[in-house]
């Protein structure tokens, strides 16, 4: 899109390389235009210097950025390519990101992914890097969401820019730089186009001349754009350049910032224009949207606390007309790039535009579900044809009719930016349901546990779902696979057990739980190794002394014997079938004796212990001599038992 329509661009630092005096003069002039966001004149001057054979990292940075923020992605890509080839040591990771975005807009996804991979390797902590690292197949994900909209051009587009539709009565309010009566057309040096005003139209009208400007109190000789009318129809919130008493106000860098204003409808006229109290001359606030209940105002800003070039914020609107403190929606939604143009549906779905989340190029439209006032649900690209290789933005949607509007600067448009109407034919899947099933059993006896509780607990440690096991010890539940969850099994008399499931592709998963008893009751003939869930006690090959890594398992048995002084134990040692039978019998006997000696050395009376080796005489499976078995199957037979004698 024309970046005068985004309006939120951060100041990019630059250093002027020392040219000859004549070239310095040209560069100084270009840089002055660059800092003023007058990118068209800056491009012309930078190109003249480049054509004369003078080049530097800073010149290519500024020229590439001028193209990028004017949505000329072909020229931006060519310039960034030259910058990376000749000055790779003089650039930061942001230029790899912008080069990647430019390539993506041109449809060169392979090269775009290569640049994004480089960007990710340089910025491990960047939110965008995390997105791309975790979503290698994001184009496949976008494709899954594509084809759900039927779109057509807005009947009231012109050869100028039309964008920022918002619902008003039976029609729309939108922003345009068309001229409908000004004798003197105010032009913006950014791209030599007229300044924007707000217009209204009855979308049921067949008369294209039915478009009317809003009142003179609302429209000024600078920019007005992105509006929303409160549900009671009494107030209009809109965006305007910092303009007061007929004069524009600049910040310390000479930039005209954006502000949010509120107009009141009095006798059919929008008047009594008031600034919102959290505006500032040093940062921008813009693009208002309301929650369904009208109590929360959403907007875009680069105010302190922003993660990137612009973030989405919310602020409480109280019944007495006062406002709370703006809050950043957090890094699930906001990135180090641009998040802007929020819109909230009646079902609390937040739509917004971003070039920081994985997309098709430029600004794409994304959606996320707001639940319980939280902004931590998955952010989903709405797919084609709403999104394209160019900038797609100012998306609005009626949940009841499944109809809406958005704007784009795609090539087939009539003007620089055009509004498009659409019908959603297939709902966007915002919630990823993953089926989880399994069985809950006693870890020792392997018996199923009927009536065990299975809970889903989110990463904020809040319980989101509960079920119980049926008569077969089975359970079924569903989790949101767009976020991490804990699945926890509980049963009275048992130690709870849980599994953590991170974000996934939503494929069904089976999780069986084996719960340990919180108290173990043992008697004659029971195996303490099984009751205490001992790990395998390993011996080195052809040796029978207890290894260091197995001492902790034997210590568990010692602890039980210390707790119960009357407890007497017989240590049984077993081998697998590999090797000679007689040797296995001798080796197992030595290992049993070695275990007993170890326990005696740790203070257990000899009278309380016995040891016997059985070799391969008591195999747990079919892996006897001559039977081919895997290493894992043989391992089951190499075991130690601690049998209770009394």
């Amino acid at each position: 899109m024309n970046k005068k329509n985004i309006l939120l661009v951060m100041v990019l630092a630059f250093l002027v390389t020392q040219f000859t005096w004549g070239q310095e003069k040209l560069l100084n002039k270009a840089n002055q235009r660059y800092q003023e966001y007058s990118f068209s004149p800056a491009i012309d001057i930078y190109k003249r210097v480049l054509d004369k054979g003078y080049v530097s990292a800073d010149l290519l940075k500024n020229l590439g950025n001028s193209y990028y923020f004017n949505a000329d992605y072909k020229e931006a890509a060519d310039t960034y390519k030259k910058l990376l080839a000749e000055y790779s040591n003089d650039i930061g990771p942001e230029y790899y990101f912008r080069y990647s975005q430019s390539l993506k807009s041109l449809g060169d996804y392979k090269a775009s992914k290569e640049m994004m991979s480089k960007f990710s390797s340089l910025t491990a902590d960047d939110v965008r890097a995390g997105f791309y690292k975790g979503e290698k197949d994001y184009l496949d994900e976008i494709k899954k969401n594509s084809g759900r909209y039927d779109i057509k051009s807005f009947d009231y587009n012109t050869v100028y820019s039309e964008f920022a539709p918002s619902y008003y009565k039976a029609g729309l309010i939108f922003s345009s730089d068309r001229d409908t009566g000004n004798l003197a057309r105010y032009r913006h040096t950014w791209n030599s186009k007229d300044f924007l005003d707000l217009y209204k139209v009855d979308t049921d009208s067949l008369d294209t001349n039915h478009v009317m400007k809003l009142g003179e109190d609302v429209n000024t000789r600078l920019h007005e754009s992105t509006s929303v009318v409160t549900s009671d129809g009494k107030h209009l919130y809109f965006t305007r350049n910092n303009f007061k008493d007929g004069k524009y106000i600049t910040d310390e860098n000479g930039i005209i910032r954006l502000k949010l204003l509120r107009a009141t409808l009095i006798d059919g006229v929008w008047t009594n224009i008031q600034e919102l109290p959290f505006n500032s001359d040093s940062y921008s606030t813009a693009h208002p949207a309301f929650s369904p209940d009208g109590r929360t105002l959403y907007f875009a800003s680069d105010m302190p606390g922003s993660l990137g070039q612009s973030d989405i914020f919310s602020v409480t609107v109280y019944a007495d007309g006062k406002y709370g403190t703006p809050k950043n929606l957090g890094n699930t939604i906001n990135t180090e790039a641009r998040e802007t143009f929020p819109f909230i549906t009646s079902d609390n779905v937040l739509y917004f535009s971003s070039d920081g989340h994985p997309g098709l190029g430029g600004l794409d439209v994304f959606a996320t579900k707001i639940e319980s006032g939280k902004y931590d649900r998955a952010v989903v690209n709405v797919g084609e044809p709403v999104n394209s290789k160019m900038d797609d933005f100012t998306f609005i949607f009626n949940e009841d009719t499944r109809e809406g509007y958005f704007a784009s600067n795609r090539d087939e448009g009539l003007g620089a930016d055009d509004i498009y109407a659409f019908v959603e034919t297939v709902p966007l899947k915002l919630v990823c349901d993953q089926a989880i099933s399994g069985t809950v059993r006693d870890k020792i006896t392997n018996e199923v546990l009927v009536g065990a509780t299975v809970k889903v607990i989110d990463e904020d440690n809040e319980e989101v779902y509960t079920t119980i096991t049926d008569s077969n010890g089975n359970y079924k539940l569903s989790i949101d696979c767009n976020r991490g969850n804990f699945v926890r099994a509980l049963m009275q008399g048992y130690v709870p057990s849980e599994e953590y499931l991170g974000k996934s592709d939503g494929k069904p998963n089976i999780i069986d739980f084996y719960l340990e008893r919180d108290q173990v009751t043992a008697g004659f003939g029971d195996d303490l190794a099984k009751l205490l869930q001992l790990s395998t006690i390993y011996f080195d090959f052809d040796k029978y002394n207890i290894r260091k890594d197995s001492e902790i398992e034997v210590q568990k048995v010692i602890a039980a014997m210390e707790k119960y002084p009357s407890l007497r134990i017989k240590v049984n040692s077993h081998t697998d079938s590999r090797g000679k039978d007689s040797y296995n019998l001798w080796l197992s006997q030595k290992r049993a004796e070695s275990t007993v000696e170890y326990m005696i050395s740790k203070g257990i009376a000899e009278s309380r212990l016995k040891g016997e080796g059985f070799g391969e005489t008591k195999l747990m499976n079919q892996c006897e001599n001559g039977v081919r078995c895997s290493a894992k199957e043989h391992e089951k037979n190499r075991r130690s038992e601690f049998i209770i004698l009394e």
Side-chain angles (χ1 to χ4, degrees):
M1 75 178 274
N2 287 319
K3 292 304 177 283
K4 69 164 191 175
N5 297 338
I6 298 179
L7 303 175
L8 290 175
V9 184
M10 300 300 292
V11 178
L12 302 170
F14 65 89
L15 297 173
V16 179
T17 303
Q18 298 299 314
F19 292 119
T20 63
W21 180 85
Q23 307 313 319
E24 271 189 7
K25 188 173 181 180
L26 282 173
L27 278 178
N28 287 338
K29 184 177 180 181
N31 288 333
Q32 182 181 356
R33 293 288 186 270
Y34 181 78
Q35 284 195 324
E36 292 172 354
Y37 294 166
S38 300
F39 287 149
S40 293
I43 289 173
D44 295 337
I45 296 171
Y46 286 132
K47 285 184 65 178
R48 286 172 58 190
V49 174
L50 194 61
D51 290 341
K52 292 179 181 292
Y54 296 91
V55 63
S56 71
D58 293 317
L59 185 150
L60 292 175
K61 288 179 186 178
N62 290 343
L63 181 59
N65 292 337
S66 294
Y67 285 129
Y68 181 83
F69 288 111
N70 255 316
D72 190 344
Y73 296 118
K74 173 64 171 65
E75 294 293 341
D78 290 344
T79 306
Y80 289 140
K81 181 179 181 180
K82 186 176 180 67
L83 173 66
L84 269 60
E86 299 183 15
Y87 299 98
S88 60
N89 294 329
D90 298 323
I91 61 173
E94 190 67 27
Y95 289 91
Y96 288 94
F97 177 78
R98 290 175 186 163
Y99 186 29
S100 173
Q101 289 294 96
S102 300
L103 289 168
K104 191 190 302 178
S105 293
L106 300 176
D108 192 350
Y109 293 114
K110 181 179 179 181
S112 174
K113 290 181 73 173
E114 291 176 358
M115 289 301 105
M116 184 55 69
S117 177
K118 180 66 175 177
F119 169 78
S120 299
S121 69
L122 295 173
T123 55
D125 296 329
D126 191 290
V127 174
R128 292 164 293 176
F131 288 148
Y132 282 87
K133 285 179 179 178
E135 301 186 34
K136 297 295 186 183
D137 299 322
Y138 70 93
L139 290 176
D140 291 337
E141 292 301 313
I142 294 173
K143 188 175 181 179
K144 292 178 183 178
N145 292 329
S146 296
R148 301 179 303 100
Y149 300 99
D150 293 333
I151 70 171
K152 66 177 182 178
S153 182
F154 185 52
D155 291 334
Y156 304 93
N157 287 329
T158 68
V159 295
Y160 300 100
S161 284
E162 281 78 33
F163 74 106
S166 65
Y167 292 115
Y168 180 56
K169 296 184 177 179
L172 299 175
I173 294 175
F174 63 92
S175 185
S176 176
D177 63 357
R178 67 178 69 192
D179 180 29
T180 58
N182 286 336
L183 295 178
R185 297 171 69 98
Y186 297 110
R187 291 184 177 271
H188 184 30
T189 59
W190 192 329
N191 48 21
S192 302
K193 296 293 181 67
D194 296 324
F195 281 92
L196 299 161
D197 285 327
L198 290 175
Y199 295 80
K200 63 180 179 179
V201 63
D202 183 346
T203 53
D204 292 333
S205 172
L206 299 178
D207 182 6
T208 57
N209 295 319
H210 195 60
V211 176
M212 298 176 60
K213 264 190 179 182
L214 296 191
E216 294 181 356
D217 284 357
V218 172
N219 288 318
T220 65
R221 62 185 181 87
L222 291 185
H223 286 305
E224 283 80 30
S225 69
T226 52
S227 63
V228 62
V229 176
T230 55
S231 58
D232 60 10
K234 295 180 180 179
H235 298 289
L236 168 73
Y237 287 74
F238 65 98
T239 304
R240 176 190 284 172
N241 280 129
N242 195 358
F243 185 78
K244 188 174 183 180
D245 297 330
K247 298 179 180 180
Y248 59 81
I249 311 298
T250 62
D251 66 9
E252 59 183 10
N253 295 313
I255 299 169
I256 306 173
R257 293 291 182 173
L258 300 170
K259 291 191 173 183
L260 287 171
L261 296 98
R262 187 185 75 170
T264 302
L265 189 63
I266 301 175
D267 297 330
V269 178
W270 292 113
T271 186
N272 190 25
I273 311 297
Q274 296 180 342
E275 281 194 26
L276 300 195
F278 46 86
N279 286 336
S280 173
D281 293 338
S282 61
Y283 57 78
S284 293
T285 55
H287 317 320
F290 271 104
S291 61
D293 61 10
R295 297 176 183 176
T296 304
L297 174 67
Y298 294 84
F299 62 96
S301 178
D302 59 350
M303 66 173 56
S306 299
L307 299 178
Q309 297 170 28
S310 66
D311 285 7
I312 298 176
F313 288 78
S314 68
V315 64
T316 300
V317 181
Y318 296 106
D320 60 1
K322 294 182 180 180
Y323 301 87
T325 301
K327 297 180 181 179
N328 190 297
L329 297 196
N331 61 12
T332 299
I333 292 172
N334 293 317
T335 71
E336 286 82 355
R338 297 173 293 181
E339 280 69 46
T340 185
F341 302 120
F343 177 80
I344 318 295
T345 70
S346 58
D347 287 345
N348 265 320
V349 176
L350 167 63
Y351 287 90
F352 64 96
S353 288
S354 169
D355 62 2
H357 293 271
L360 297 175
L363 290 169
D364 273 21
V365 177
F366 295 85
T368 184
K369 179 72 172 178
I370 302 172
E371 291 188 357
S372 303
K374 295 183 178 180
Y375 307 98
D376 57 355
R377 296 295 184 183
V379 172
V380 178
N381 187 301
V382 303
E384 295 178 302
V386 165
N387 287 327
S388 68
K389 297 175 183 177
M390 303 303 288
D391 289 318
D392 310 293
F393 52 101
T394 57
F395 181 101
I396 63 174
F397 182 51
N398 186 315
E399 294 274 13
D400 296 327
T401 65
R402 316 308 293 178
E403 297 176 342
Y405 299 87
F406 70 99
S408 178
N409 66 338
R410 57 193 63 184
D411 294 338
E412 61 267 30
L414 181 63
D417 297 316
D418 287 284
I419 295 174
Y420 294 85
F422 69 83
V423 176
E424 185 186 66
T425 57
V426 178
L428 177 64
K429 189 175 181 180
L430 287 170
V431 178
C432 175
D433 293 322
Q434 181 180 22
I436 306 295
S437 61
T439 306
V440 182
R441 296 177 179 272
D442 184 301
K443 190 172 183 178
I444 297 172
T445 66
N446 205 41
E447 294 178 354
V448 298
L449 298 179
V450 178
T453 300
V454 182
K455 296 183 176 181
V456 178
I457 299 169
D458 65 21
E459 291 178 315
D460 295 326
N461 207 32
E462 293 186 7
E463 182 181 317
V464 295
Y465 186 80
T466 300
T467 188
I468 60 173
T469 56
D470 60 19
S471 58
N472 295 313
N474 298 323
Y475 73 92
K476 292 181 180 179
L477 52 82
S478 180
I479 66 171
D480 180 359
C481 61
N482 286 321
R483 60 188 303 173
N485 293 278
F486 296 91
V487 181
R488 183 181 300 169
L490 309 96
M491 184 76 174
Q492 186 174 1
Y494 289 84
V495 178
S497 177
E498 71 179 17
E499 291 280 344
Y500 175 74
L501 299 177
K503 295 181 181 180
S504 73
D505 57 8
K507 293 180 181 178
N509 198 352
I510 297 175
I511 303 176
D512 293 326
F513 289 99
Y514 295 87
L515 302 187
E516 297 182 28
R517 298 173 186 173
D518 55 13
Q519 291 185 352
V520 177
T521 302
F524 176 78
D526 286 335
D527 180 6
L528 272 184
K530 188 174 183 180
L531 294 175
L532 298 177
Q533 295 298 305
L534 300 187
S535 298
T536 302
I537 297 173
Y538 289 107
F539 297 85
D540 288 328
F541 177 72
D542 208 26
K543 294 184 179 180
Y544 46 79
N545 56 297
I546 292 179
R547 291 186 350 191
K548 282 288 184 183
D549 56 0
S550 292
E551 285 188 44
I552 189 171
E553 303 304 314
V554 182
Q555 284 290 343
K556 295 176 183 177
V557 179
I558 293 173
M561 297 188 75
E562 290 173 341
K563 184 175 181 180
Y564 301 102
S566 62
L567 188 64
R568 294 180 64 241
I569 294 293
K570 180 185 178 185
V571 179
N572 294 342
S573 179
H574 303 268
T575 69
D576 59 40
S577 63
R578 292 176 292 186
K580 292 183 177 181
D581 294 2
S582 58
Y583 177 78
N584 285 337
L585 187 62
W586 173 83
L587 183 62
S588 64
Q589 179 63 36
K590 297 299 292 184
R591 287 177 174 175
E593 292 173 358
S594 177
T595 303
V596 169
E597 290 171 2
Y598 175 85
M599 297 177 71
I600 293 172
S601 71
K602 299 301 179 181
I604 302 300
E606 183 178 358
S607 61
R608 299 175 64 193
L609 296 166
K610 286 186 178 182
E612 184 177 356
F614 292 90
E616 56 185 273
T617 62
K618 294 188 176 184
L619 299 176
M620 298 287 291
N621 51 31
Q622 79 285 358
C623 299
E624 58 189 21
N625 292 335
V627 177
R628 193 170 183 176
C629 290
S630 66
K632 190 172 184 179
E633 288 174 317
H634 280 303
E635 184 180 283
K636 291 180 180 179
N637 293 315
R638 297 196 309 272
R639 66 197 188 278
S640 293
E641 299 170 333
F642 296 85
I643 306 300
I644 298 174
L645 297 178
E646 62 179 62

